[in-house]
């Protein structure tokens, strides 16, 4: 980008406007010299004019070059994405710009009222600390003394407090500042600190956010240490300001990213908290999805070898995983937590139990009524049939059916319907033992949810899509709603909510779908089923791959890379067992 704006420095210097300016300068000087030096031999005047023109030209070209450098540095700083590299670059560019031997960048900590060492560079000593280099353990420079008075003894603190630049020819002769620390440093290294330029870093609101300290400017021709030229201070101030703005921009962006990240995790945690039975689901799915993405990046052979998710893409995938079930915010809790088929806000098996109890008592009462008693001895009446054992058998059966499971036989469905025809008497009125809604619930073939309830549960994906599509995600996160909204889609087109096929489901959505299934199969805290053994979960997964519900090659990667074994380490010990995948046996202790 810099090269587009300034394709060639020499070309910029020879711009027609520069030549025109120099022409005007020459004409002006010649006219002035001609008037002031009347009577002086023309060759002397011409010699003097040549010298002045040369010096003006050199100076203006030097200034032009500096301006060119300044703009280039500004563009470079604003395009830097990594904060450590940005900090290093600010010092490096300022050193280069002033031909200084050393540079220190301090960042102001408003809370602690101190200047933290961010970067320390010294070419002669070969020092390059902070940023991506060696960490700096030096104590921060306090901006205030213990008595709360401002610390103007330290030159950098003074600069931060006043916002004024300080240009010192020789720190050993400087008055008004304490340079004992500099002298000690020199004594321990054999260095001689001499000229120093201390510049505040002001952000877009004119607040000082740091201090740049440049040390020992060197003459570009002789290499001798010289004072920092006064006419360059303004330009270095401008450079520092660009650096401050770039730094502030990066901090603001980073701050917003962190805030968004934390907010997304809070939503994920809230969904996990909503139901004690799905606690940790979102957290585990997010972790597993990210692990799968990293395995894709590590792959060196096969379909995934050419795929490499960059940091932004990984962040996008991670966020989609954290938000994939956000629509469950609208799902009724009694459905999310439905542990038995008859559960609503309580388990209605208790109601049936009471009905059975009423019937038993009623039968007992009728029996007593018809037993001979002393006053009616001799009179006989038919006893009602004994039902005690039958009632017991009925409630045992319903208890068992109510639990839900993987499959309900036709025979048992028929039996539930038959039981629904039984009536019980209360206050002389006959009531059906099972209400139609209870029959429908008890006849659920798999799990505990009826078709209508399943529809409400599945609606969470549509809600996820609607909620996420309503959010103005930045460009680099624009696929979050896409990936999150596809976590129940299947490659064979039988998934929901859109029934998308193989070609329409991108890899990150497949990774998320796989993580969702794997977590759900092995979760130990579901209300309607215990966590499956790893071997059983993998057998079911193989079935799903065979039906093209999931991406088989992705599953292969998860198994063959050892990720599944690492995942299994977090399962309860009783679930960890050896498993088969594509006919090969894998051990959970196998951590290749
Ligand atoms: Fe879901
Ligand atoms: Fe999920």
């Amino acid at each position: 980008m810099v090269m587009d704006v300034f394709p060639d420095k020499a070309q910029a210097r020879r711009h027609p406007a520069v030549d025109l300016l120099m022409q005007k300068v020459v004409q002006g000087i010649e006219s002035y010299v001609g008037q002031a030096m009347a009577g002086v031999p023309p060759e002397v005047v011409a010699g003097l004019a040549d010298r002045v023109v040369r010096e003006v030209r050199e100076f203006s070209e030097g200034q032009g070059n500096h301006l060119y450098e300044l703009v280039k540095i500004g563009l470079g700083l604003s395009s830097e994405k990594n904060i450590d590299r940005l900090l290093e670059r600010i010092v490096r560019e300022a050193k280069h710009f002033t031909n200084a031997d050393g540079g220190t960048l301090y960042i102001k900590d408003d809370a602690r009222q101190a200047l933290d060492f961010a970067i320390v560079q010294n070419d002669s000593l070969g020092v390059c600390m902070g940023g991506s280099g060696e960490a700096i353990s030096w104590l921060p420079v306090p901006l205030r003394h213990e008595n709360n008075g401002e610390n103007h003894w330290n030159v950098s603190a003074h600069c931060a407090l006043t916002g004024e630049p300080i240009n010192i020819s020789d720190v050993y002769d400087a008055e008004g500042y304490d340079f004992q620390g500099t002298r000690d440093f020199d004594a321990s290294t054999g260095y001689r600190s001499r000229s120093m330029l201390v510049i505040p870093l002001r952000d877009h609101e004119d607040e000082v956010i740091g201090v740049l300290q440049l040390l020992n400017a060197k003459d570009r021709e002789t290499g001798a240490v010289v004072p920092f030229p006064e006419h360059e201070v303004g330009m270095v101030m401008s450079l520092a300001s660009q650096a401050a703005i770039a730094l502030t921009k990066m901090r603001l962006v980073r701050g917003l990213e962190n805030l968004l990240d934390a907010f997304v995790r809070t939503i994920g945690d809230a969904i996990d908290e909503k139901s004690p039975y799905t606690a940790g689901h979102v957290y585990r799915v997010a972790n597993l999805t990210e692990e799968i993405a990293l395995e894709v990046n590590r792959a060196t052979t096969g379909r995934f070898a050419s795929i490499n998710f960059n940091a932004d893409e990984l962040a996008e995938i991670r966020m989609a995983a954290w938000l994939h079930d956000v629509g469950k915010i609208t799902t009724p809790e009694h459905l999310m937590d439905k542990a038995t088929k008859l559960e609503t806000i309580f388990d209605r098996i208790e109601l049936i139990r009471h009905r059975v109890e009423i019937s038993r008592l009623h039968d007992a009462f009728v029996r007593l009524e018809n037993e001979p008693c002393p006053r009616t001895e001799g009179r006989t009446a038919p006893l009602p049939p004994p039902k005690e054992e039958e009632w017991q058998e009925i409630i045992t059966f319903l208890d068992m059916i109510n639990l839900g499971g993987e499959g309900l036989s036709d025979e048992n469905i028929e039996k539930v319907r038959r039981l629904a025809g039984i009536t019980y008497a209360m206050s002389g009125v006959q009531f059906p033992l099972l209400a139609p809604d209870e029959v429908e619930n008890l006849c659920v073939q798999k799990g505990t949810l009826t078709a209508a309830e399943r529809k409400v549960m599945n609606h969470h994906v549509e809600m996820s899509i609607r909620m996420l599509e309503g959010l103005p995600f930045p460009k680099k996160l624009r696929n979050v709603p896409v990936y999150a909204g596809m976590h129940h889609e299947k490659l064979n087109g039988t998934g929901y909510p859109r029934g998308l096929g193989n070609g329409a489901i991108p890899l990150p959505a497949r990774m998320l779908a796989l993580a969702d299934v794997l977590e759900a199969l092995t979760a130990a805290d579901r209300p309607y089923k215990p966590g499956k053994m790893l071997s059983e979960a993998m057998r079911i997964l193989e079935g799903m791959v065979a039906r093209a519900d999931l991406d088989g090659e992705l599953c292969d990667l998860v198994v063959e890379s050892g990720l599944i074994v690492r995942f299994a380490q977090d399962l309860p010990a009783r679930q960890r067992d050896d498993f088969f995948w594509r006919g090969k046996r894998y051990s959970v202790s196998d951590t290749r």
Side-chain angles (χ1 to χ4, degrees), residues 517-524 529 531-534 537 567 571-572 575:
V517 166
L518 207 46
E519 200 288 326
L521 285 174
T522 51
K529 64 174 186 60
K532 295 194 186 309
M533 299 297 287
L534 184 62
F567 170 76
L571 296 177
Q575 285 178 254

Side-chain angles (χ1 to χ4, degrees), residues 281-282 285 321 324-325 328 460 487-488 512 516-517 519-520 526:
H281 168 71
V282 173
V285 168
H324 79 280
D325 273 339
K328 280 187 178 168
H460 78 273
H487 74 276
H488 286 299
L512 180 44
D516 195 53
V517 166
E519 200 288 326
R526 293 293 189 276

